[in-house]
Amino acid sequence: MKNCIATYALTQKGAETARKIAKLLQADCYALQRYATKSDIPFDSLKDIVADKFPRYESHVFVAASGIVVRLIAPYLKSKDIDPAVVVVDQNGEFAISLVSGHLGGANELARLLGDKIGAVPVITTATDCSGVPSIDLMARDQGLVIGAIGAIKHINSAMLDGEKVSVYDPDGYLNLTGLNEYFVVIDSVAKLPEFRCGIVVDWQVHDLPERVLTLYPRCLSLGVGCRRGASADEILKLVRSVVVENGLAMDSIFSVGSIDAKKDEVGLLEAAAILGLEPEFFSADELDEIKVANPSDMVMKHMGVAGVCEAAAIKLAGATQILVPKTKSMRVTAAIARKI
C-alpha cells in the first residue's frame, strides 16, 4: 500500500464519486464488489474492510451516510492526536463533512481540499474554526512542537471562545504568536500562570504546573550515547531516563540519538532508540574527533580513537558549540545531552 488516503463506496453512484476523488487525490478506492471496476479494490463487507484498513491510512473518505460511518469507525477511535482523518461525502459529491481528527489529523483541510477538487461544500464543525479563533493544536503542529497532555487543549479553546486571553510562557520563542495579541498574553515566569484562567508553557524543561496549563515541548535536545559491547536496552534506557529526570528535562524534547559508527550494530542501542521512537545517527571517529568534549577519556581514546563519544555525538547532532548535560555514566553506558540553538 503506497497511498495514504483511502476512499470507500457502497452504491453505484457513490463508486463513481469515490473513483473521481481517488484519482484527484491519488488515493486507493475501495468499492462494494458488485460496483467495482478494474481500478477499484473490491470488498464484500465495509465493516470488515474498515477493521482491516482503518489504522493503515492517514486519511479516509467515505462516500456513504454519516451514521453508517460513525458506527463502523467507533470501535477503532483512540485519541485525537493519533486517529486518522475521516471525511464523509454524499454520493453526489455535494458535501464533504469533516467527521474525525479535524485539526491534527487534517480532516478539516481534507474537506476543504475536496471542496476545491470536486466542488463539494466543506462542512466543518470544530468550534475554533467556526468562531475564527486560533487552533492551538494546529499552531503546535506547524511549529514542530510536541503536545503534552492533549486533554488540556479544551481549556485553551474554551477560554478563547469566551473571549479571554490565554497566558503563554515561551522563554525561547518557539510558538509564533505574531498578530495574535487578541488571544494570547506573553508572561515571563511560570509563577504568573495562576493569575489566568488557563495557560500554555512552551519549554524543554519540566515545570510543576497548574491543572489548566497546556505544555508544548520543542524538539531541541539531542542525546549522545556511548556503551560497551553487549550493553542492554534496559541499562541504556535506565541511564537516559535518569539523566532526563535529574536535570529537569522533557523526554519529548529529545529529537535524536547518536553514537559512534562502531556501535551501529549494537543491538541494545538500536532497541533503546526504537523504544524512544528515535532514529539513531552514527558518526565516524574523525567526525567526533572534531568536537572538543568537556570530559575526555583515555580509555575511549584507546578503544575508539576519540576523546569522547556521548558528548561529541550530542553536540554533533544539535549543531551546538557546548554540552547541556555533560557525560553521565552507569556501569556500561554513558549519556550526554546537547541543545539545538
Side-chain angles (χ1 to χ4, degrees):
M1 184 185 71
K2 63 179 180 178
N3 296 326
C4 62
I5 302 175
T7 65
Y8 308 85
L10 291 169
T11 66
Q12 184 171 357
K13 179 64 175 175
E16 294 173 5
T17 300
R19 220 168 278 130
K20 179 180 179 181
I21 292 171
K23 183 177 180 180
L24 291 168
L25 301 184
Q26 295 186 322
D28 290 331
C29 183
Y30 294 87
L32 195 62
Q33 177 76 51
R34 59 179 172 270
Y35 303 122
T37 65
K38 291 183 178 180
S39 64
D40 304 327
I41 303 171
F43 65 85
D44 294 315
S45 166
L46 183 59
K47 180 180 180 181
D48 292 342
I49 203 72
V50 168
D52 181 43
K53 304 301 181 184
F54 194 70
R56 303 188 182 208
Y57 289 88
E58 295 178 7
S59 304
H60 301 268
V61 179
F62 291 88
V63 184
S66 57
I68 292 174
V69 177
V70 168
R71 292 184 181 91
L72 286 174
I73 68 174
Y76 312 108
L77 298 178
K78 297 179 180 178
S79 173
K80 65 186 291 183
D81 57 331
I82 59 175
D83 290 333
V86 177
V87 173
V88 176
V89 177
D90 63 287
Q91 67 173 11
N92 295 318
E94 295 181 359
F95 299 95
I97 305 169
S98 173
L99 192 66
V100 171
S101 288
H103 285 158
L104 293 179
N108 290 357
E109 295 175 16
L110 182 54
R112 293 188 182 101
L113 179 61
L114 288 170
D116 293 336
K117 294 288 187 180
I118 67 171
V121 176
V123 180
I124 295 168
T125 58
T126 44
T128 51
D129 290 86
C130 295
S131 301
V133 303
S135 167
I136 189 60
D137 39 0
L138 284 183
M139 291 172 63
R141 184 196 68 180
D142 292 345
Q143 298 301 318
L145 303 171
V146 178
I147 298 173
I150 195 112
I153 288 177
K154 64 178 179 288
H155 300 304
I156 309 303
N157 290 343
S158 178
M160 288 193 289
L161 290 169
D162 289 344
E164 293 188 37
K165 288 190 176 184
V166 175
S167 58
V168 178
Y169 175 72
D170 182 13
D172 298 310
Y174 286 105
L175 190 62
N176 184 4
L177 300 178
T178 303
L180 297 176
N181 292 338
E182 178 183 352
Y183 306 101
F184 302 103
V185 55
V186 177
I187 58 176
D188 58 10
S189 170
V190 292
K192 295 181 180 179
L193 287 167
E195 299 174 12
F196 297 83
R197 172 172 164 179
C198 60
I200 300 168
V201 168
V202 188
D203 205 355
W204 44 273
Q205 299 181 83
V206 174
H207 302 272
D208 184 15
L209 301 171
E211 180 184 356
R212 291 175 173 258
V213 173
L214 171 68
T215 305
L216 303 177
Y217 301 108
R219 291 177 62 79
C220 62
L221 302 181
S222 60
L223 170 65
V225 174
C227 61
R228 293 184 187 176
R229 183 64 63 186
S232 69
D234 286 344
E235 183 177 353
I236 294 171
L237 290 171
K238 183 178 180 180
L239 178 63
V240 169
R241 288 167 178 155
S242 174
V243 168
V244 167
V245 170
E246 290 179 5
N247 289 278
L249 306 178
M251 186 69 79
D252 283 326
S253 283
I254 298 178
F255 70 90
S256 189
V257 58
S259 189
I260 192 166
D261 58 8
K263 302 297 179 181
K264 63 183 177 182
D265 61 347
E266 192 67 48
V267 175
L269 179 55
L270 297 177
E271 288 181 357
I275 292 170
L276 292 173
L278 302 174
E279 186 68 33
E281 292 189 40
F282 298 96
F283 303 97
S284 68
D286 287 342
E287 288 177 304
L288 296 182
D289 201 39
E290 297 172 357
I291 306 298
K292 184 178 180 180
V293 296
N295 297 281
S297 166
D298 292 337
M299 186 65 70
V300 175
M301 176 62 76
K302 177 181 177 181
H303 291 285
M304 294 292 157
V306 294
V309 170
C310 65
E311 291 181 338
I315 291 173
K316 195 79 176 175
L317 285 168
T321 57
Q322 59 185 11
I323 203 71
L324 177 67
V325 178
K327 179 172 67 177
T328 304
K329 298 186 293 184
S330 67
M331 186 68 70
R332 297 191 296 173
V333 181
T334 62
I337 294 176
R339 179 185 163 216
K340 180 168 58 178
I341 305 299

